Amino acid sequence: MTNTTQQAPASRKAEYGANALIVCDNVVRIYQVEGIEVQALQGLDLLVDPGEMIAIIGASGSGKSTLLNVLSGLDAPTAGRARVGGWDLLSLTAADRLTYRRSAVGFIWQQTARNLLPYLSAMENVALPMAFAGVRPRTRARRARDLLGSLGMGDKATRRPGELSGGEQQRVSIAVALANHPEVLFADEPTGELDAATSEEVFAALRRANTELGTTVVIVTHDAEVAGQVQRTVAIRDGRTASEVFRRTAIDEFGASSVIAEEYAVLDRAGRLQLPADFRSTLGLRDRVRLELEQDHVGIWPDARAAVASKRAATEDKS
Ligand code: ADP
Ligand code: MG
């Protein structure tokens, strides 16, 4: 089956994130609750390349689920631009939205019960989205068997969710999400209800979807520990992208490998940058900093005049 992905017009080629699979450009989502505005997303920028597996981390209330709801087509942003593949998420018709949710993307929720129908077997659960997409019964059965097999659930295909452990249920959920060959898999806290060993199992299944099927995987979590499971971690704070950490494995001269994590701050298109709180407090950076353009980097220093002024004020206070 091929996806009915729309191609972006050629005139949009030069846009921000033209080569990315997922583009969030200044995405804003405001909720109105009894006349009070809640800014869940406050101009969030995010680019994800095809084939990546990333984690989005952030404290509870930072806007992670809101972002995932926007990307999975459940919710529409208030402003900004959000694109996944050729799909512009701000201008989807109702019919497009249905096709998008059915076959362009797959999702896995934290509550295992939300992913699976309790009265259907694992196999029937995986076949269901294919039935909705009009796939022939024989093809459905074969693909469901293949998917469950590759996720290590082949021998439990006839069991109902209630007869499976939490980790097994989430692996079936991954098979359901992959049923219609989505380009992207979104998972919102997929291991939130599982212990560490079972979480590891679910991550292994997500990694397999990523490496073997080439599916792009975006995992949302409040657990910074999972950072070790992916190549890139994007941290969001107060509805904005705060920093990114890239991990790579380096081999030293003795052949030993070690993982190197490099932290990057996000520079938005207006040139704004957020310095980590510990950098600011260590160097006393506040209000105004001195900037200098060097040959290959930019230097940032505390405002020397402010430091002198505050020292003078402190001395005058004493006298
Ligand atoms: P996270 O998933 O990171 O915990 P959420 O995206 O669920 O964060 O929430 C971000 C902010 O938006 C919170 O302040 C939350 O209370 C608010 N929020 C989320 N959904 C709604 C909603 N449907 N109505 C009103 N406020 C909401
Ligand atoms: Mg959430």
Side-chain angles (χ1 to χ4, degrees):
M1 208 184 77
T2 54
N3 289 335
T4 51
T5 309
Q6 304 158 340
Q7 289 304 312
S11 62
R12 302 178 65 191
K13 278 276 162 59
E15 277 182 348
Y16 170 69
N19 299 320
L21 179 64
I22 300 173
V23 180
C24 290
D25 180 2
N26 216 352
V27 171
V28 174
R29 178 64 171 102
I30 299 170
Y31 292 111
Q32 298 274 357
V33 185
E34 290 164 7
I36 297 167
E37 283 193 352
V38 178
Q39 287 222 15
L41 298 177
Q42 313 195 33
L44 183 134
D45 294 326
L46 175 71
L47 297 179
V48 182
D49 286 335
E52 268 196 289
M53 172 158 168
I54 72 159
I56 296 177
I57 61 167
S60 170
S62 57
K64 306 182 300 294
S65 293
T66 304
L67 173 63
L68 220 61
N69 287 343
V70 165
L71 290 175
S72 61
L74 266 181
D75 188 23
T78 310
R81 201 163 65 87
R83 175 175 72 71
V84 175
W87 303 80
D88 175 358
L89 301 182
L90 273 93
S91 62
L92 289 181
T93 62
D96 282 348
R97 191 173 291 279
L98 197 64
T99 313
Y100 175 76
R101 291 178 47 77
R102 207 167 262 174
S103 47
V105 293
F107 15 79
I108 298 133
W109 308 107
Q110 173 175 355
Q111 302 87 354
T112 47
R114 198 172 158 190
N115 296 312
L116 303 172
L117 289 175
Y119 50 87
L120 295 182
S121 69
M123 179 91 171
E124 289 163 339
N125 265 290
V126 182
L128 194 63
M130 292 186 261
F132 284 137
V135 178
R136 286 203 320 250
R138 196 178 308 167
T139 315
R140 291 200 302 251
R142 191 180 50 224
R143 178 151 177 82
R145 214 175 300 118
D146 286 353
L147 277 170
L148 287 170
S150 75
L151 293 166
M153 292 298 298
D155 55 343
K156 292 177 180 166
T158 57
R159 295 211 194 162
R160 290 186 187 182
E163 300 163 335
L164 298 169
S165 72
E168 288 171 340
Q169 289 180 35
Q170 287 302 64
R171 280 191 279 157
V172 176
S173 304
I174 295 170
V176 172
L178 289 170
N180 286 327
H181 305 267
E183 227 174 326
V184 190
L185 214 53
F186 294 113
D188 193 356
E189 313 255 3
T191 60
E193 293 179 349
L194 307 174
D195 60 47
T198 318
S199 299
E200 175 61 41
E201 225 173 78
V202 172
F203 268 101
L206 288 167
R207 251 196 312 271
R208 204 165 314 140
N210 175 248
T211 53
E212 288 175 18
L213 303 173
T215 316
T216 303
V217 179
V218 177
I219 303 158
V220 157
T221 178
H222 66 273
D223 177 9
E225 294 278 305
V226 311
Q229 306 269 358
V230 293
Q231 303 121 17
R232 178 159 71 107
T233 312
V234 177
I236 70 174
R237 193 179 310 130
D238 302 330
R240 302 180 68 121
T241 330
S243 65
E244 299 193 12
V245 174
F246 288 83
R247 301 172 70 87
R248 61 187 169 85
T249 308
I251 312 280
D252 70 13
E253 55 195 305
F254 306 107
S257 67
S258 60
V259 175
I260 296 178
E262 286 168 321
E263 182 165 358
Y264 288 76
V266 176
L267 186 66
D268 79 8
R269 286 188 299 147
R272 282 179 295 245
L273 172 77
Q274 185 174 28
L275 294 176
D278 53 330
F279 286 25
R280 281 177 287 159
S281 60
T282 305
L283 297 181
L285 301 168
R286 56 189 290 264
D287 303 329
R288 186 169 58 191
V289 296
R290 190 165 64 80
L291 279 185
E292 208 157 293
L293 179 63
E294 306 281 354
Q295 204 163 18
D296 60 352
H297 70 278
V298 174
I300 299 178
W301 287 264
D303 182 352
R305 286 180 305 170
V308 169
S310 75
K311 203 173 281 172
R312 189 177 302 144
T315 325
E316 279 166 10
D317 273 355
K318 269 184 224 144
S319 60

